[in-house]
Amino acid sequence: METPIEFAEIEAPDDHARSAAIALHGNLIKPAGSLGRLEDLGVWIAACQGQSPPRPFSRPRVVVFAGDHGIAAKGVSAYPAEVTAQLLGTMLTGGAAINVLAAAAGASVRVVDMAVDTETSAMRAVSEFKVRRGSGSIDVEDALTGDEVLAAVRAGMRIADAEVDGGADLLVAGDLGIGNSTPASVLVAALTGSEPVAVVGRGSGIDDTTWMRKASAVRDALRRARTVLADPIALLRTATGADIAAMAGFLAQAAVRRTPVVLDGLVVTAAALVAEELAPGARRWWVAGQLTGEPAHALALEHLDLGALLDLDVRLGEGTGAVAALPLLAMAARVMAEMATHDQSGVSGPLVPAPAP
C-alpha cells in the first residue's frame, strides 16, 4: 500500500482582513447590514484573500469529477449506467448544462475521468488520473482497494494544486456519475448519525419502487460504513468511489492552499464532510452555493454549519448549483471595491452609530 496521506494544517482565513472588511462595510453609503448576506459574503471573501477590499475573482474554475458506481446495477437510479460516459462526452464538446452555466458566470470547466466505465479514445485526454472503471457495489463490497483510494485522494490533491498554481482564485467541484447519490447518502448518514430513510431522496427523479431499492442499498452499505467510521480514508474506500474520494482530496487541498471553494449539491457536500475529517478546519474556506431538495444535502450542510446562498432546488450536479451562485460572489466583492464611502461621496452617515455586529 502507498504511503498514508497527511494534509498540512489548515490556516484560518485572515482575521485582520475580516475586521477591515467589516469596518469598510460600516463606512459605505448604506445602512449597516442593509445588504444582508451579501455583506457577510464579501467579508468572507476578504478574509480568504487576506485583503480588504477584496479583489474581484479573475479565474473561477470548475472541476467535474466523473465516475461510475457498481451500486447502479442494483437499480437505484432512473437512468442506465452508460449515461455517465455519454454525458461526459457531451461535457467535453461543450453541450452540457455546466458548460452553459459556467460560461454565463465567467468560469471555465475542467473534466476529470476518475472511474467512468469506458475506455474510449475520446476520453483519454481527461483520464490522466483514472483509478479504475466503476467501483465495487458498496452494499456488499468495498468500493475501492486500499491503494486505489489513496491514489484517488492524492489525485484530487494534485488537481487542486495544479489549478491553484495555474491561477485559479475560486474553485467549484462538480460531480458526474449515475448512482453517485447513493454513496453520497451513505456518507451523510454515517457522519451525521442519521438513518437511511432520513437521507434517501429522489435523486434523478426515481419512483417509489426505485426509492425502496435505493433505501435498501443505503441501509446495507451503511452497516459496512459504520465499522470504519473513525478512519476517513477507510470510509472512502468502503463506501464511495474514486470520483468522490478525489473530490474529498481536492476540497481539503484547496483549503491547504488558502483558496475559496463554492460547494454544489449532495455529492460534493458529502465529499466535503470527509474532507473536513481529513483536514479539520477546511470548511472555513468553503461556502455553500445552494440548497437542493435532497434531504441528505440539508443534513450535510447543517453538520458543516454552512448556510446556502441559493435555494433553487438545482439537483443536476455537475457543479451547476454552485456556478449559479457565482454572480453573488462577484457582486459581494465588487460592492466593497467600487461602492463609495461616506467620506468619498459627501453623503451623511447615520445620526446614531450602528451597534457592533
Side-chain angles (χ1 to χ4, degrees):
M1 185 178 290
E2 296 185 30
T3 305
I5 294 170
E6 292 186 4
F7 288 88
E9 185 175 351
I10 304 296
E11 298 180 21
D14 190 277
D15 274 337
H16 294 293
R18 184 190 308 277
S19 297
I22 292 171
L24 174 58
H25 263 299
N27 289 324
L28 298 178
I29 50 170
K30 59 176 178 56
S34 59
L35 286 177
R37 291 194 62 198
L38 281 178
E39 295 190 18
D40 299 334
L41 189 57
V43 169
W44 175 76
I45 294 169
C48 288
Q49 293 183 352
Q51 66 176 60
S52 177
R55 60 187 178 275
F57 293 107
S58 62
R59 195 170 185 271
R61 182 72 155 165
V62 182
V63 180
V64 180
F65 294 86
D68 278 304
H69 294 266
I71 195 67
K74 302 297 176 68
V76 298
S77 174
Y79 290 86
E82 58 265 26
V83 169
T84 303
Q86 294 166 356
L87 285 172
L88 177 57
T90 302
M91 206 172 280
L92 292 175
T93 58
I98 188 57
N99 302 112
V100 176
L101 295 180
S108 58
V109 178
R110 175 182 181 180
V111 185
V112 181
D113 172 9
M114 293 301 305
V116 179
D117 192 11
T118 183
E119 294 291 351
T120 61
S121 57
M123 308 299 181
R124 287 176 189 159
V126 295
S127 300
E128 175 188 356
F129 297 103
K130 188 162 187 166
V131 169
R132 59 182 285 172
R133 293 178 59 169
S135 69
S137 187
I138 58 174
D139 55 338
V140 295
E141 62 184 331
D142 286 354
L144 304 166
T145 67
D147 285 341
E148 286 169 347
V149 70
L150 292 175
V153 173
R154 196 165 280 118
M157 296 168 67
R158 289 176 61 190
I159 291 165
D161 282 336
E163 293 300 336
V164 174
D165 291 342
D169 53 1
L170 180 67
L171 294 171
V172 172
D175 65 277
L176 175 63
I178 298 302
N180 63 9
S181 67
T182 298
S185 298
V186 173
L187 286 183
V188 174
L191 291 168
T192 66
S194 303
E195 293 302 316
V197 292
V199 298
V200 177
R202 296 288 174 171
S204 53
I206 58 178
D207 59 18
D208 290 346
T209 301
T210 307
W211 186 93
M212 287 187 284
R213 286 196 296 265
K214 184 174 179 178
S216 296
V218 170
R219 177 200 64 206
D220 292 343
L222 183 57
R223 288 185 185 133
R224 303 184 69 257
R226 282 175 172 158
T227 66
V228 294
L229 192 53
D231 183 342
I233 295 293
L235 182 61
L236 291 170
R237 182 198 74 225
T238 302
T240 67
D243 51 344
I244 295 175
M247 259 185 271
F250 176 85
L251 294 170
Q253 188 64 15
V256 170
R257 296 297 304 271
R258 302 179 63 84
T259 303
V261 176
V262 185
L263 301 180
D264 189 34
L266 168 59
V267 179
V268 173
T269 310
L273 288 179
V274 185
E276 175 66 15
E277 297 288 320
L278 289 168
R283 66 182 181 85
R284 292 173 291 188
W285 293 89
W286 309 330
V287 66
Q290 59 140 352
L291 178 66
T292 67
E294 286 287 306
H297 187 207
L299 288 168
L301 289 178
E302 182 180 6
H303 190 80
L304 291 168
D305 194 26
L306 295 175
L309 297 176
L310 298 174
D311 186 357
L312 301 178
D313 194 23
V314 176
R315 294 172 287 117
L316 177 61
E318 302 179 8
T320 50
V323 164
L326 292 186
L328 294 179
L329 276 76
M331 285 185 266
R334 290 187 64 173
V335 158
M336 301 182 70
E338 300 174 21
M339 191 172 175
T341 65
H342 289 288
D343 290 342
Q344 291 168 338
S345 65
V347 175
S348 299
L351 294 174
V352 179

